């Protein structure tokens, strides 16, 4: 599974032999690969006017391109804002609630992300083909797809340690601009610039997986909520800055504490483990039927409806496992 | 009438069965008087399917060349397909199934022919008698009495032979009140709240009509439940306009001038015809294969099903609040008092009474507030969501109640002794069963059909320890609280366990449930071992002490 950003073909159909060679050597003789472009075919074509573009068939003959449009940027942030507003509505009628849920389109984005990740996973696991994923910048929807695909395919990403490694690798070191994306959340009045809840969308998709495969993830909802919190505001330096270069300029590693160091302490770790976990070596294929995708109540209704009893139930199971 | 007359072709070979979560398999199809049986004998394992004809809602025939397919849509929302070689055979089987699944007479149904293969330890027909309930009641209060005025079902045909009424009202008065209430359903005790002595009664609408008729005995009866100087609430499950219009047809509502101590609240619960439409639309939406999120959400909204859930939960919370928070007595009724009335009173008891959250308590609640109270199961569960025939009296009133219980169960996972499977089981058996529990529309019909003598009760089977263990909630911790569910739409979710049951395998959820049960079982074993070891240690220490002396 490879990732990149868009090729800068531009209106003059620039080529880069080295890029073609790089992608060429990855494939064996006669083998085919798939490029999953997270922009719609039209958006990808239009990108050429701005200097970007797609890999032309003639220069990359062994690669077949698939377009799966994933929402990002301002429209995704709007979707998030609308959903949070709908959730905070104190006493709507059922029609109003469902209407607002639908018009927020958030669940549609969850479905699209999971579907695209499944597609990438299928190409690798079922078609035995290599896959290259990119959108425009390669820092948002690209990382969403590659990270989710790895959770689907690789059981080691589903352990607590493996998941932290996945986040480090596919989000933090890969250069997802956390500082820009998580500058503001859903309630901000300030005029938006670069905010977008891509990381939250990823966590929502992970939650959907944990719901459909309750035994297959070593961690529980609590970890996902903690990650959401820390991405937006944290005492730790893990999610600061936009990429490794900025982190080294700001000397983040030297001057701050790591979230992982705190999470991995034995007393803390306990709280985040899933007591039902049992190692599942298989590929886990989530259902992406709309009927299977649910609102992540634990996050979106977190402060609206006390989930005290559900937490009690969870704590009870954990206590029993520890006791045993 | 012989069943054999209806079966044109009792057997067909080389039939292919398609069913959810299984691979298509070839085998032999048999039709008996009550079952459709499919069996395939393979080297590794034999696969069998037994389907009650009474579980079949509708069938469709499709032909591709000379291969005919019958698509069977069941009342429990499952869809299976049988590919039958030979057009004539296919047509014969289809029309046989059609005939066998649309039998009218109750006495032809399977419960009358079922012979249990298990040892009957407890006769479910006499497990939950009203006399037993009354005994429990009289240990906390002596304001009530058991009346046998209806023992011939002559006063109210849809009531049980015994009812609980205020002590101060005699049988003569009850007869007069029955003439003043729709269908003779005079106010009876539904629930007594031990905490503060408040009562919930239920009835049908008063027959005030356009002349403003009154019945002093009715007024006296309901007032008997009030403490001196205190008010009561009448919860009418019709909107005010409908209640007013009912007068033109002879019905009506309790007028303030005659019931000055009672305040009336209208909490609208949808009529049963609309519920059936809602049910059909929801099931269609769940089966929609278009993979479009917007389409799914708008179809879900258009079905209005979740709205009905919210309405019912709200009405039940209201009734519970009046009793527990306001310390007032409550009378619940709609028009006939056999549908929304029972939904509200039974759900309110789930909220108020921890006993109703135990397995036996819940069974007793269903027997009391649904079966004995005269909810017309035979009519309401004649068809489910896939029926092709013209709708008459069918409606998923009981299913809506079960789903509301599930919503509360989801919000309070440690407060119920039973698990979701139990609720799904009750849904299934209400529509099609080998047991006679849900046959008939009221106790009168059940007595006439001699159901307790001729059929087996569901409770006899489900209360056996081997069966019951499957339905227990491992997280249950008895508490004596009143549990207030959230009725915010955001908190209410679709009941996947019923509506998406056949769309998505629940294997992992079942595994998770089993894992939870194992963890708890192991914990108990370890506890027991710890206790044994502690005892031995204490003994050894005592011995040592003795030796040292």
């Amino acid at each position: 599974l490879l990732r990149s950003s868009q090729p800068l073909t531009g209106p003059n159909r620039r080529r880069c032999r080295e890029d073609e060679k790089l992608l060429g050597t990855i494939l064996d003789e006669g083998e085919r690969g798939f490029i999953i472009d997270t922009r719609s075919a039209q958006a990808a074509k239009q990108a050429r006017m701005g200097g970007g573009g797609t890999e032309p068939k003639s220069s990359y003959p062994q690669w077949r391109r698939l377009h799966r449009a994933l929402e990002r940027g301002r429209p995704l942030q709007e979707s998030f804002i609308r959903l949070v507003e709908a959730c905070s509505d104190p006493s709507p009628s059922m029609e109003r609630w469902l209407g607002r849920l639908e018009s927020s389109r958030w669940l549609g984005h969850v479905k699209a992300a999971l579907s695209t990740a499944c597609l990438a996973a299928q190409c690798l696991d079922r078609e035995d083909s290599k896959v290259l994923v990119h959108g425009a910048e390669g820092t948002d929807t690209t990382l969403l797809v590659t990270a989710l695909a790895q959770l689907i395919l690789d059981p080691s990403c589903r352990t607590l340690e493996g998941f932290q490694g996945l986040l480090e690798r596919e989000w933090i070191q890969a250069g997802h601009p956390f500082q820009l994306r998580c500058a503001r959340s859903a309630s901000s009045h300030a005029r938006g610039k670069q905010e977008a809840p891509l990381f939250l969308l990823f966590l929502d998709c992970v939650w959907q997986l944990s719901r459909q495969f309750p035994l297959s993830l070593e961690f529980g909802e609590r970890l996902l909520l903690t990650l959401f919190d820390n991405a937006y505001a944290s005492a730790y330096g893990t999610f600061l800055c936009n990429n490794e270069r900025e982190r080294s300029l700001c000397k983040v590693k030297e001057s701050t504490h790591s979230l992982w160091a705190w999470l991995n302490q034995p007393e803390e770790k306990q709280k985040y483990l899933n007591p039902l976990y049992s190692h599942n070596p298989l590929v886990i294929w989530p259902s992406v039927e709309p009927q299977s995708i649910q609102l992540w109540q634990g996050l979106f209704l977190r402060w609206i409806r006390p989930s005290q009893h559900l937490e009690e139930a969870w704590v009870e199971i954990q206590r029993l496992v520890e006791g045993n | 009438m012989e069943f054999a007359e209806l079966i044109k072709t009792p057997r067909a070979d080389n039939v292919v069965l398609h069913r959810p979560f299984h691979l298509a398999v070839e085998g032999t199809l048999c039709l008996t008087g009550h079952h459709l049986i499919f069996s395939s004998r393979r080297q590794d394992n034999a696969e069998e399917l037994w389907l009650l004809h009474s579980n079949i809602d509708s069938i469709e025939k499709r032909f591709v060349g000379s291969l005919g397919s019958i698509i069977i849509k069941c009342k429990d929302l499952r869809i299976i397909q049988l590919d039958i070689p030979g057009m004539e055979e296919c047509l014969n089987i289809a029309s046989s199934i059609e005939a066998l699944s649309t039998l009218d007479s109750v006495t032809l149904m399977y419960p009358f022919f079922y012979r249990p293969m298990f040892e009957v330890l407890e006769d479910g027909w006499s497990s939950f008698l009203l006399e037993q309930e009354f005994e429990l009641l009289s240990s906390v209060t002596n304001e009530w009495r058991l009346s046998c005025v209806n023992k011939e079902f002559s006063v109210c045909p849809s009531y049980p032979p015994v009812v609980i009424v205020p002590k101060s009202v005699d049988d003569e008065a009850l007869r007069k009140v029955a003439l003043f209430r729709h269908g003779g359903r005079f106010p009876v005790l539904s629930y007594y709240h031990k905490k503060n002595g408040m009562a919930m009664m239920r009835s049908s609408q008063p027959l005030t009509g356009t002349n403003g008729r009154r019945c002093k005995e009715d007024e006296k009866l309901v007032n008997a439940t009030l403490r001196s100087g205190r008010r009561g609430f009448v919860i009418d499950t019709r909107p005010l306009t409908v209640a007013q219009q009912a007068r033109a047809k002879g019905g009506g509502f309790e007028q303030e001038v005659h019931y000055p101590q009672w305040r009336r609240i209208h909490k609208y619960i949808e009529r049963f015809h609309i519920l059936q439409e809602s049910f059909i639309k929801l099931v269609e939406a769940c089966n929609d294969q278009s993979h479009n999120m917007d389409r799914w959400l708008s179809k879900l909204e258009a079905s209005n099903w979740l709205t009905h859930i919210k309405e019912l939960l709200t009405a039940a919370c209201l009734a519970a609040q009046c009793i527990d928070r306001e310390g007032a007595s409550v009378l619940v009724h709609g028009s006939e008092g056999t549908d929304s009335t029972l939904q509200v009173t039974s759900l309110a008891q789930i909220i108020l009474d921890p006993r109703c959250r135990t397995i036996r308590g819940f069974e007793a609640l269903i027997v009391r507030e649904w079966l004995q109270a005269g909810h017309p199961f035979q009519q309401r569960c004649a068809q489910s969501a896939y029926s092709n025939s013209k709708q008459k009296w069918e409606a998923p009133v009981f299913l809506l109640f079960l789903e509301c219980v599930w919503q509360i169960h989801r919000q309070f996972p440690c407060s119920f002794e039973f698990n979701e499977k139990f609720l799904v089981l009750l849904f299934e058996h209400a529509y099609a069963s080998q047991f006679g529990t849900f046959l008939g529309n009221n106790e009168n019909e059940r007595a006439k059909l001699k159901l307790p003598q001729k059929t087996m009760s569901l409770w006899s089977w489900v209360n056996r320890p081997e069966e019951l263990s499957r339905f227990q909630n491992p997280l249950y911790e008895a508490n004596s609280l009143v549990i207030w569910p959230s009725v915010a739409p955001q908190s209410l979710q679709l009941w996947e366990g019923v509506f998406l049951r056949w769309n998505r395998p629940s294997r992992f959820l079942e595994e998770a449930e089993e894992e939870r049960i194992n963890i708890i079982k192991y914990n108990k074993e370890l506890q027991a071992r710890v206790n044994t070891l502690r005892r031995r240690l204490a003994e050894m220490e005592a011995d040592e002490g003795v030796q040292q002396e």
Side-chain angles (χ1 to χ4, degrees), chain B residues 207-225:
Chain B
L207 301 172
T208 37
T210 44
N211 293 330
R213 243 178 93 195
R214 69 183 288 196
C215 170
K216 295 226 175 67
E217 288 79 6
D218 187 277
E219 293 156 37
K220 185 156 172 270
L221 197 167
V222 299
N223 289 334
T225 65

Side-chain angles (χ1 to χ4, degrees), chain A residues 151 156-169 199 202-203 206 217 219 223-224 227 260:
Chain A
L151 271 170
S156 66
C157 289
R158 296 180 224 134
T159 62
L160 183 57
E161 197 183 324
F163 187 62
Q164 288 175 26
L166 178 74
L167 292 174
E168 264 291 318
R169 212 171 51 241
F199 189 57
F202 167 71
L203 294 174
V206 178
L217 298 178
F219 47 90
L223 178 68
L224 302 174
L227 290 169
W260 311 133

Side-chain angles (χ1 to χ4, degrees), chain B residues 331-396:
Chain B
L331 171 66
V332 183
H333 72 74
S335 305
E336 290 101 35
T338 53
D339 293 273
S340 55
T341 305
L342 305 180
Q343 286 175 322
V344 173
T345 58
S346 50
L347 205 55
Q349 290 178 59
I350 297 273
I351 292 171
L352 292 166
D353 185 5
R355 195 170 71 97
C356 292
R357 294 177 229 134
T358 63
I359 294 183
R360 283 199 84 88
F362 188 60
E363 291 173 357
L365 177 73
I366 293 185
V367 171
R368 207 173 55 239
E369 295 296 313
W370 286 89
L371 292 163
Q372 289 170 355
H375 175 71
F377 276 100
Q378 192 82 26
Q379 287 178 345
R380 295 287 176 270
C381 299
Q383 315 271 23
S384 185
Y386 289 129
S387 164
N388 284 334
S389 36
K390 194 163 151 57
Q391 186 193 344
K392 280 189 300 193
W393 306 109
E394 303 82 25

Side-chain angles (χ1 to χ4, degrees), chain B residues 411-534:
Chain B
Q411 295 186 21
F412 296 89
C414 303
S415 296
F416 288 81
E417 195 186 13
F418 50 88
N419 61 18
E420 179 183 15
K421 279 206 272 237
F422 193 59
L423 295 170
V424 178
L425 178 87
L426 291 170
F427 158 63
E428 289 175 328
H429 282 268
Y431 279 89
S433 178
Q434 63 267 48
F435 304 105
T437 303
F438 289 99
L439 289 181
N441 289 305
N442 48 53
E443 293 296 283
N444 190 359
E445 288 185 19
R446 289 181 194 115
K448 287 208 177 78
L449 292 166
K450 295 200 172 44
L451 290 186
Q453 292 81 19
K454 295 190 174 171
T455 70
M456 177 110 302
S457 159
L458 172 65
W459 316 125
S460 309
W461 171 75
V462 83
N463 285 337
R464 292 160 62 235
E466 319 82 273
E467 296 304 328
L468 210 55
S469 57
R470 288 192 290 140
F471 301 111
Q472 281 163 333
N473 174 12
L475 296 174
Y476 175 60
E477 254 175 46
N479 66 40
S480 54
L481 303 169
V482 173
I483 56 177
W484 299 105
S486 162
V487 299
Q490 298 92 332
S491 305
L492 302 176
Q493 270 179 15
L494 182 64
W495 191 3
E496 292 190 326
V498 164
F499 294 105
L500 300 181
R501 190 180 180 191
W502 311 109
N503 301 37
R504 199 161 60 77
S506 59
R507 176 164 66 98
F508 301 111
L509 296 168
E510 279 164 16
E511 273 175 17
E513 183 67 20
E514 259 190 56
E515 183 65 20
R516 268 185 278 259
I517 294 172
N518 288 341
I519 289 172
I520 290 170
K521 218 166 67 171
Y522 187 44
N523 181 267
K524 290 205 172 92
E525 284 170 27
L526 290 174
Q527 285 281 16
R529 232 191 285 171
V530 163
N531 289 338
T532 314
L533 289 172
R534 281 210 179 108

Side-chain angles (χ1 to χ4, degrees), chain B residues 49-335:
Chain B
L49 170 74
W50 282 64
L51 188 67
L52 269 174
H53 291 307
S54 57
N55 192 7
I56 297 177
D57 225 6
S58 66
I59 64 174
E60 246 175 67
K61 301 184 279 281
R62 277 194 211 148
F63 293 98
V64 178
S66 69
L67 184 71
S69 294
I70 300 180
I71 294 157
I72 299 178
K73 297 187 176 172
C74 300
K75 292 178 184 165
D76 63 4
L77 307 183
R78 189 179 4 177
I79 301 181
I80 65 175
Q81 179 175 319
L82 295 165
D83 298 331
I84 300 172
M87 195 180 292
E88 199 187 318
E89 255 198 342
C90 182
L91 284 169
N92 282 342
I93 289 181
S95 68
S96 307
I97 296 176
E98 190 77 64
L100 291 165
S101 59
T102 49
L103 292 172
D104 260 334
S105 166
V106 182
T107 49
L108 294 173
M109 310 228 83
Y110 187 49
F112 286 93
F113 299 84
Y114 173 67
R115 295 286 164 265
M117 306 283 262
F118 58 87
E119 190 196 336
V120 179
L121 300 166
E122 169 200 351
D123 179 17
W125 288 110
S126 42
S127 299
F128 304 107
L129 298 172
L130 205 56
E131 287 85 343
Q132 294 156 351
E133 285 294 324
F134 182 69
E135 249 187 68
L136 286 171
L137 181 66
S138 25
S139 62
V140 287
T141 171
N142 57 0
E143 295 162 354
W144 302 87
R145 73 176 183 93
L146 211 54
S147 165
C148 307
V149 70
N150 196 38
K151 68 177 186 293
E152 311 282 315
F153 305 104
S154 50
V155 175
C156 175
S158 62
Y159 266 177
V162 287
V163 289
I164 301 176
V165 292
K167 206 171 219 165
S168 56
V169 181
D170 61 22
D171 283 0
E172 254 329 291
L174 289 178
R175 288 201 181 85
K176 295 212 179 82
V177 179
L179 294 171
F180 181 64
R181 290 275 175 180
H182 187 129
R185 292 175 73 87
F186 53 89
V188 293
L189 179 70
S190 167
Y191 169 67
Y192 181 80
H193 197 44
K194 288 201 276 281
K195 212 165 93 178
N196 57 14
M198 290 299 121
M200 178 162 60
M201 300 189 82
R202 52 171 163 77
S203 70
S204 56
Q205 64 176 330
L207 301 172
T208 37
T210 44
N211 293 330
R213 243 178 93 195
R214 69 183 288 196
C215 170
K216 295 226 175 67
E217 288 79 6
D218 187 277
E219 293 156 37
K220 185 156 172 270
L221 197 167
V222 299
N223 289 334
T225 65
L226 296 176
R227 296 259 180 284
S228 59
R230 302 292 293 275
R231 276 201 319 188
F233 290 94
V234 174
I235 298 180
D236 192 327
T237 63
R238 306 164 293 180
L240 179 57
T241 44
V242 171
Q244 283 165 340
Q245 283 161 5
R247 285 183 298 191
K249 297 190 217 135
F253 52 88
E254 293 81 356
Q255 296 171 294
E256 290 83 351
V257 57
H258 300 139
Y259 298 82
Q261 291 166 283
W262 291 82
R263 188 159 154 238
R264 204 173 62 243
I265 307 178
H266 288 272
K267 208 73 191 144
Y268 179 39
I269 302 221
E270 196 59 80
R271 294 287 293 152
F272 64 81
H273 314 278
I274 314 284
L275 265 189
Q276 180 75 355
E277 279 167 28
S278 213
F279 184 34
I280 292 172
K281 281 202 191 122
L282 175 62
V283 171
E284 257 176 40
C286 292
N287 289 335
D288 187 79
Q289 300 280 347
S290 71
H291 296 267
N292 185 313
M293 180 60 80
D294 292 335
R295 206 171 136 88
W296 155 243
L297 287 174
S298 53
K299 282 183 111 171
L300 178 64
E301 185 194 330
S303 76
N304 259 333
W305 183 258
L306 292 173
T307 307
H308 302 317
I309 301 274
K310 176 170 152 54
E311 274 169 2
L312 177 51
L313 275 171
T314 310
C317 281
L318 174 67
Q321 270 168 334
C322 290
I323 294 174
D324 188 69
R325 297 266 169 91
E326 304 287 320
S329 285
V330 166
L331 171 66
V332 183
H333 72 74
S335 305

